[in-house]
Amino acid sequence: MPRGQNAAPTVEQINKDRITLLSEQYWASYTLQRRAYDRLVVDEIYIKELLGTNFNLRRIVLLEFSQYLENFLWPNLNPDQCSPYHVMSVCVMVNEKFRERVQPWDAINVHPEHFGRFFARVMHLSLEGDELSIREQTILIMFLDHCFNSLELEVIRSQIQKIVGLTIWTNLTSERREYELDQTPKFRKLWKLICKKDEKLENEELQTTLFERTFLRKLAENFLNLIENIQSMNSNDQYSIETVIYAERFLELFTDIIVQLPTRRFFNVVLDDMNFVKRCFLSPFIKSLTKSNENMETDVVETSMKKKNPAQNGEERATTKTTNLFHKMLCNFKFYSSFEINDTTGETLSQNEMMEKHYEKVLQLQSAVFKHFRDEMPTFPLQNIQLIDKREILNEEFDKLSDSQLNSIAASLQPPIQIDNRELLIEVLISTHERMQSHLQLINTLPLYPTEETIWDEDIVPTEFYNGETCLALPKLNLQFLTLHDYLLRNFHLFRLESTYEIRQDIEDSVSRMKPWQNDATITNDKDEQPQQQCIFGGWSRMAQPITNFTIVEVAKANIGESHPSRVRADVTLVLNTRGDIKKEWENLRKHDICFLITCKSSTKAGTTYDYRQPFISQVGLTYVRGCEIEGMLNIDGRVIEEGVDEKPMLSGDTRTWRVWLDPNQYQTDIQATLNGTEDVYDTFNILMRRKPKENNFKAVLETIRDLMNTNAVVPDWLQDLILGYGDPASAQYSNMKNKIPILDWNDTFIDVKHLRASFPDYKIRATEDDRSKHVPPFKLTFCDLRSKGEHAGEKLIILEPYKIPNRGPYPFSQPRQNTVRFTPTQIEGIKAGMQPGLTLIVGPPGTGKTDVAVQIISNIYHNYPDQRTLIVTHSNQALNQLFEKIMALDVDERHLLRLGHGEEELETDKDFSRYGRVNYILKKRLELLEQVGRLQKSLNVEGDLSYTCETAAHFYLYNVLSRWEEYLSKINQSNNNLEVLTTSFPFKEFFSDLNHDLFDNQQTFENNLEIAQGCFRYIQQIFTQLEEFRAFELMRNGSDRAKYLLVREAKIIAMTCTHAALKRHDLVQCGFKYDNILMEEAAQILEIETFIPLLLQTSDQQGRNRLKRCIMIGDHHQLPPVIKNMAFQKYSNMEQALFTRLVRLGVPTIDLDAQGRARASICSLYNWRYKNLGNLEHVLQQREFKTTNAGFVYDYQLINVENFNDVGESEPIPYFYQNLAEAEYIVAVYMYMRLLGYPAQKISILTTYNGQKFLIRDVLNKRCAKNPLLGFPMKVTTVDKYQGQQNDYILLSLVRTNAIGHLRDVRRLVVAMSRARLGLYIFGRGSLFESCFELTPAFNILTKRPTKLYLLPNEIYPSTREEKRDQSIVHQATVMENMPQIADFVYKFYTQKLLAYQEQKRQEELSRYDPERDLPYDPQQPSICAPDERVTDENLTENSLNQPILTEKTLTTEYIPSRQHQISGTSFRHDPNIESSTIENLDDDDDEDVYDPNKPTLFQKIQPQITNTTEQTSSKKSIDIPANTNTTEKIQEPADASGDDLNKVCYTIEFIFRSTCLMPIYD
C-alpha cells in the first residue's frame, strides 16, 4: 500500500468521525443508553460510507473497529427480511476481520441459528450480477472463500456440504454422470437414494435444494461469460481494475475449493465437464498476454525490472490492470485440477499410475481414429504413443479434420465430449491427450537459487507493505492438504519464496551500499568487439565485494537420465582491500556457504546518492542474480584449502579466489538461452555477495524437502490422516489407540501417595499391598479403564503397586536422583498421555511448567522402555538447553544423552554433550572403568593383565567375578540366613574398602545386609555392563565412526533444534539413525514444514512402516507464532500457522495445563482470560516474594498513560520505524528510580513492541546510565517478540503507538507482553487508544481499574517488607507522577539526594575512625575515600545518612537525545515495510542476544555527523520537590551489582555526573 494511504485511522480521526458518533448512539459497548435498532441506519451507512466511498478501506476499518458487526449488524439480523445492504454489510465486516487477522466468526457463533438463512441470501445475491456492482460481487466472492477456508466450524461446514456434495452431479450431462457412476458403484447407490428423497420433497423445498446444487455451476458460468466477452480498455491489453480483481478473487475461491478433498471430490468433475480451465485459457483475458506459462512456479515471468514511480501514471494505475497475476493463478488452478490424486478415494496416484491413465486415454483416441478415420489419419493409430502425445503433433493432426469428424471422435471417447466450438473442442482433445511433465520432475529441475526474475516478481514476492486487499499467485497453508506430496509441495514453494524475500533484502542492502555508478570509460569485449559500459563502485559493503575475475572451470557430463550437467564449478576472484576484521570474515567462508553472483549495469552518473525511497533496480542497474555454493578458498597452487584440524595457510596480498559450485539446472537454462542469441550471463558478474550464516541455510532445507518428495516418505499410519487434516481428530489420542498400555512404571513422578491420590480425583485407587507404611514411591500403576479385557476392564480404577528400587551400590553417587516437582492433576494427565503411544498435544500457558512435564515424560519413557530412543526437538537453542539441563538433573545415565547442533556450548555445565564430546567422555569413562577393574583384580589377587581392554575385562568378569559371586550365594543359601557368613564370606569386601564407613551393619537384619551385598554386586556388574557397551569404541579407531555409532546405537535421548533436523536429515538417514519417540517443545513456534521433517529422520522398517510410536507436542498457540518476515506469506498464505496450531483448529484433543507458578495472581489475571481455567499454584499465593509488594510502588502492575511530549506522540522517522520519545524517557526514568531504590539490574527488563523504540530506549539509556555504576543497564532491552519464552521479575513495557493500535491488536502478542513479568509489570502507553480495541478489552478493562498515573512510594527500599493487603491504605501516602517531565525532575532530585547522603555517610564513617595520634588532621571538606577493594554494604551505613538538605534550586541543563525530526536509533538499518515488530535490522546487534552493550556505538552516534540540524532540547525547569512524607532517616540501599569502588568514583565525580548523565531535562 503506498505511503500516505495508510488505512489505520488515528485516535483523533476516530473520535471526530461520523461513524464514531453513530456508534455512540446505537452500538458502542461503552454507551449506557443505546437507541433502538433502526434498519435505516444500516442502509444509510452502507450507501454513504461503503458504497458511496467505493468501499474505502479507511471507512471499513472505522466500522470494524467500532464493533459494528458484533454489537449491531449480527444481533439485529433477520435473514429473511433484512435488506441486501444489511447482508452486504455483514460480508464486508467479516472480510475486514479476515484481512486484519482477528477472530472473524466469534460474533456469528453467538447467534449461529441465523447463519443458514444468511448464507442462502449471500448465494442469491452472488448470482444477481445485474443488480450488484462488480466490486460488490467481489465482496461476496471473498466472503464465500472465507467460508470455504473455515470448515472447522460446524455452523459453516453444514452449509458448505449442501453445495459441494454428491448432489452437485445434477449439473453433469447425463452421459458424463453415467460414466462417473459406473466408475464408482457405491456412488450409484447413493444417487438412487438422493433421487428417491427428491421425489418426496415439496415444490418449495425442491426448488431450494436444486438452487443449492446448481449454485456453483451457475456461478462458474456467469464468470466464464464475463471473461469471454470482456474487452480491453486500452492498447496495452489492460482491463478495468475492478473486473480483473474480481476475476482473481473468483479464481482464488475455486482454487481453495479444489485443494481440499471434501470440497473437491465431486466439484472437480463438474468443472471438468464444463471445461472450465480450457475456456479460461481461451478467453481474451489470457489471449491478451504475449506469453503463456504452464506452471506457476516454473514459468519465466515477464517482469519489468523497473518499477513505476507511484506518482507517475497514477490515474491509469488506479483504473486499469493487466492480467499477469490472473494468468499465474490460472496456471496454479490448472495444476491442482489435474493433481495426482484419486478424487473418489483420496489416494495418491504414483507416477506409474498417472502414466497408465495417460496411455489409456491415448489408446482410446487411437482406437476411435482407427475405427472411423483411418483414411484421413492412416499413421496416427499405428504410431508409438511417445511420438504422438505432444501438443504440436496433436494440433497438426486435428487441424486436418472437419468439425463433424472432430465431433465424431469426441463422441466416441469415454467419457464422451460434446462441444460445438471448434477451437474449444480441439483444445479439449489436445489437453486431454497430451503428455504432461510430472510435477515431481518439474521440482527436480527447478533451480534452488532464486534469480532476478523471481526475486522482484511482485505477484509472488511482494515488495510493498501487504495489507491483504489483493490476492497473490501463492499456495496457502490452511486446514487440509490433498496428499503428502501436496503438503510438501506447498511448503517447498513457500519456504523458497520466503527465503527469496530475505535474499532480496540482503541484495538491496548490500548493492545499494556499494553505489554502482556508470563509468564513462569504455572497454572492448573480445567476443563481439563492441564497446560496453563498465560499472564502477562509489561505496562499499561489508557483505559484498566487486569481482575482479570469474571463470567457469568445470562442466561435468550429465548423469544418465538427466539433461543438465552433473556438476558446474567456477572460480571467483576478489581483491579484499578492506579492514582486517572484514577480510577475515571473507576468508572464513566455509564449505557449503551460499553466496550470490550479481551483475549491475548502472546508468546512474558518478556521485549520485542512493535514495531508498526510489525503486531499487533502476538506480543500481541490477541485471542478473545467480546463486552459488562455496567449495573452498584456493591456495597459491590453485587448490582448494581443505577444512580440518590444521590451520588455514596464511596467504599474502589482498587477492583471494574461491571455487564455487553453480546450480546445474540454472546453468543449463542459461546456456540454452545463450545459444538462442541472448547474452551470456556468466560473462557479466561484477559483485559477489555473502550472507549471515544463521540466515543462509535455505538451500539445505529446500534440498531436504525435495528429498522427501523423491523418497517414499512413510508417516505413521495413526498420524498421516491428521497431518493431511482428515479423519477423526481424536483417532490418534492414546485412549483410541489399539496398542494402549494399561500398566506403567511411574518411577519418581509422585512425591508421596497423597500426591498420587490427589492427581487422579476421578479414579478409585486400590493398592496391592495392605500395609500403608509401604505405600511410598516409586509406584507401578495399572489403569483398568485402558484394559480391553480381564478383571475390572473398563472401570475407572487404578491398581497401585509400590516397589523398591534395587540397591545400586554403597556409594552416595550410586543413589538415584529424584524428581522434586509436585505435579498438578492436569500435568499428571499430560505425563500419562505422553507415556502412552499415539499423539499428545499439551497446551502450556505461560509459567505452567511445560518444561517440567516434558522432562518427566522423557524420564518415564527412558525407564519404562530402555530399548527405545527418544528425539527431542525445539525451536530455539535456549529452550533446548533448558530442557536438557533438567534432564541431566534426573535419574538418567549421562552416557545415554546426546546434544546435536551448536547450541550445546551454551549449556550451563562443564560437560560436553556434543557427539565428539560424548565420544571423549566414553573413552575417558572406559579408562576409569578399566582402572576400577584393575583395582578389583588386585583385591581378588588375580594375576595377569586383565584390565587392559574391554575384552579382557569381560573374560575376567566371567571367570573370576561371576564365579566368586555364585559361590558366595551358594554359601549363604547353605548357612540358613546366617548373618556372620553373609558378612565374612563377601568376596569383594576389599574392593569397597575405600568407603568411609563399614560396608555391613550387624545391627541390621539379614535381609538388609543381603540387599547391601547385592547392591555391591550390582555396582560391579554395572562396571562390566558399561565396558561391554564401550567395546565397540575400542574396536573403532576413527572419531567419525565412533560418533556415528554413538548416534545410532549408544544414545537413548537425542536433542536438536528443528533447524538442525531440517539441515542434517540426509546425513542422519544415511548413517541409519533410528528413534521411537519424538517430543517437540515450543511446537507452536515451529514452522509447519520444520515440524514435519523431524518426524521423518529415519527410514521405514522391513515392513515398510514408520517405527515412531509416540509424538508429544508441547506449545501454546495463544502466544506468538513462527516468525515470517514477509507479510504476504504470513497473511495470505498463512505460513505462520504451525502444525500444532492447525491440529488444535482441527479439533485434536488437547491437555491444557491449568496452574501457573510464574507470576503474581494479580498479574496473571491480565492474560488468564485467554485460557481454559488457568489458575495459580499454591506457592504463588503463599511464598513471601509474591505476598510482599514492590518496593517504591503502590501497585504491582499499572498502565501508565503517557501523553504527547512537545505535541508529539509516536513518530516515524523512516517508514514503519515507530518511536515514542515520551515513553522512552518515562521508562528510563522509572528504571533509574528502581535502581536508586536498590533493585538489581539483572531483575529488570525493558520491552517494547517495535524495533524503533528499542533502539531509542537504548540511546536514552546510553546517555543517562552508561557512565554511571549506580545505574548500569537492565538485563535486556528488546522487543516483545524476541522475549517470548523468557521472563524476569520486573518488566517495563512500552506500547509506542498513539495514533493506531498497530500489531498489538494480535491478542497473541498481548499475551506474550503481559506474561513476561513475575513480580511487577509497568506498562507505558496511550490508554485511551488501547482500551477502545475490542480484542484487547479483557486485559485493558483490568488495567484501567487502577489509576493511569504512576503512584510511587520513594521512602521504601528494596526488598520490600510491605504486604499486598496494605495497598489500599497506603494510596493516600503515594507520590503521584502526572506526566513524564515531572518524573524526570523527580528522579533527578531523588538521585542527587541519594548521592549527597551517601557522601555524608562516608564522611561520618571516616570521622568515627579518626585517631588524632595516628592519622593526619581531618578535613571535612575532603570527600571520604574507601579502599579500592572495600565493599559498601547496608550494615555499615548510618541511619541518618539521608538527613541532608536538597540541592538549592539552580538553572541546570543536560544533554538530550535528538529532536523528533531525528529520532532514529539503532546501528544500521534496512527498510522492510512488511514488518512492524522486526522492521529494522541492526547489523551490529546480535539477533540472538539483546543484552545491551554500552560499548557499542549507537546509530545516533554514527549518523550525527550527517544530521546538520540536530539540536539539543533545553528549557526552563519546573520546581518539583521531594514529597514531605519521604523518610530521610532510611538507610541508603546500595544496588546489589555496584561495587564500593564504583560508589566512591561516583562521589568523586558527582558534579560531572549531574551535568552529563543524570536525568535533568528542563522543560518549557
Side-chain angles (χ1 to χ4, degrees), residues 434-615:
E434 71 174 322
R435 179 190 295 271
M436 300 296 295
Q437 188 176 5
S438 163
H439 301 139
L440 190 56
Q441 291 174 349
L442 290 172
I443 291 297
N444 289 335
T445 57
L446 183 69
L448 295 180
Y449 303 116
T451 65
E452 71 285 348
E453 292 167 337
T454 305
I455 293 175
W456 283 276
D457 186 342
E458 296 294 325
D459 293 334
I460 56 177
V461 189
T463 307
E464 300 301 330
F465 176 71
Y466 180 77
N467 61 5
E469 283 194 284
T470 59
C471 53
L472 300 166
L474 297 172
K476 294 181 182 179
L477 304 182
N478 197 27
L479 278 176
Q480 298 174 323
F481 300 86
L482 295 176
T483 62
L484 281 178
H485 179 75
D486 175 39
Y487 177 84
L488 291 168
L489 189 65
R490 292 195 220 178
N491 280 282
F492 176 86
H493 287 318
L494 287 175
F495 193 91
R496 175 171 169 260
L497 294 174
E498 167 71 1
S499 304
T500 300
Y501 175 73
E502 297 172 9
I503 291 166
R504 179 174 67 196
Q505 288 181 299
D506 290 340
I507 291 176
E508 292 185 356
D509 179 68
S510 297
V511 175
S512 62
R513 290 175 185 274
M514 294 189 71
K515 298 179 183 177
W517 292 333
Q518 179 181 346
N519 188 4
D520 294 333
T522 60
I523 61 172
T524 301
N525 190 313
D526 294 336
K527 294 184 178 180
D528 52 16
E529 297 184 354
Q530 293 295 322
Q532 293 183 344
Q533 293 293 339
Q534 185 182 22
C535 188
I536 62 172
F537 299 99
W540 71 279
S541 171
R542 189 186 199 104
M543 308 302 287
Q545 289 291 324
I547 295 175
T548 58
N549 186 48
F550 180 86
T551 309
I552 302 290
V553 296
E554 180 190 13
V555 180
K557 291 183 178 179
N559 294 326
I560 296 175
E562 295 179 350
S563 59
H564 58 77
S566 59
R567 184 172 66 179
V568 181
R569 297 197 297 173
D571 286 352
V572 186
T573 303
L574 311 177
V575 177
L576 301 176
N577 53 351
T578 61
R579 293 201 322 249
D581 57 331
I582 300 177
K583 183 176 181 180
K584 188 175 181 180
E585 288 175 8
W586 278 96
E587 291 176 342
N588 287 338
L589 282 174
R590 301 173 61 187
K591 190 175 184 178
H592 302 302
D593 280 351
I594 306 300
C595 293
F596 286 89
L597 301 160
I598 301 170
T599 298
C600 282
K601 299 180 180 180
S602 179
S603 58
T604 305
K605 298 297 182 181
T608 306
T609 303
Y610 179 80
D611 186 355
Y612 74 88
R613 290 166 294 192
Q614 298 300 320

Side-chain angles (χ1 to χ4, degrees), residues 396-456:
E396 183 181 346
E397 293 290 347
F398 291 139
D399 269 347
K400 300 175 183 177
L401 303 179
S402 64
D403 291 354
S404 59
Q405 290 172 329
L406 285 172
N407 286 323
S408 299
I409 292 176
S412 61
L413 299 176
Q414 288 298 323
I417 302 172
Q418 299 177 355
I419 300 173
D420 296 332
N421 186 308
R422 176 184 175 87
E423 182 185 18
L424 178 59
L425 179 57
I426 291 178
E427 177 60 30
V428 170
L429 289 172
I430 294 175
S431 300
T432 305
H433 300 98
E434 71 174 322
R435 179 190 295 271
M436 300 296 295
Q437 188 176 5
S438 163
H439 301 139
L440 190 56
Q441 291 174 349
L442 290 172
I443 291 297
N444 289 335
T445 57
L446 183 69
L448 295 180
Y449 303 116
T451 65
E452 71 285 348
E453 292 167 337
T454 305
I455 293 175
W456 283 276

Side-chain angles (χ1 to χ4, degrees), residues 295-313:
N295 186 279
M296 179 192 75
E297 292 300 335
T298 56
D299 61 352
V300 178
V301 183
E302 284 294 310
T303 305
S304 171
M305 299 304 294
K306 297 181 180 180
K307 299 181 196 173
K308 293 182 180 179
N309 190 328
Q312 298 172 353
N313 303 324

Side-chain angles (χ1 to χ4, degrees), residues 718 722 729-742 744 746 760 763 783-787 796 798 825-842 865 1109-1112 1148-1151:
W718 48 271
L722 283 178
S731 60
Q733 191 184 26
Y734 75 90
S735 58
N736 297 320
M737 297 287 287
K738 295 179 180 178
N739 57 340
K740 48 184 173 284
I741 305 167
L744 286 170
W746 286 72
F760 298 104
Y763 282 84
F783 291 85
C784 296
D785 57 332
L786 298 181
R787 285 177 170 172
K796 299 281 281 185
I798 296 175
T826 313
Q827 288 176 320
I828 291 293
E829 176 59 26
I831 295 170
K832 174 188 173 186
M835 294 164 67
Q836 294 285 346
L839 174 66
T840 301
L841 295 188
I842 299 176
Y865 313 102
K1109 300 172 181 64
R1110 294 172 187 81
C1111 179
I1112 304 113
V1148 175
T1150 61
I1151 298 166

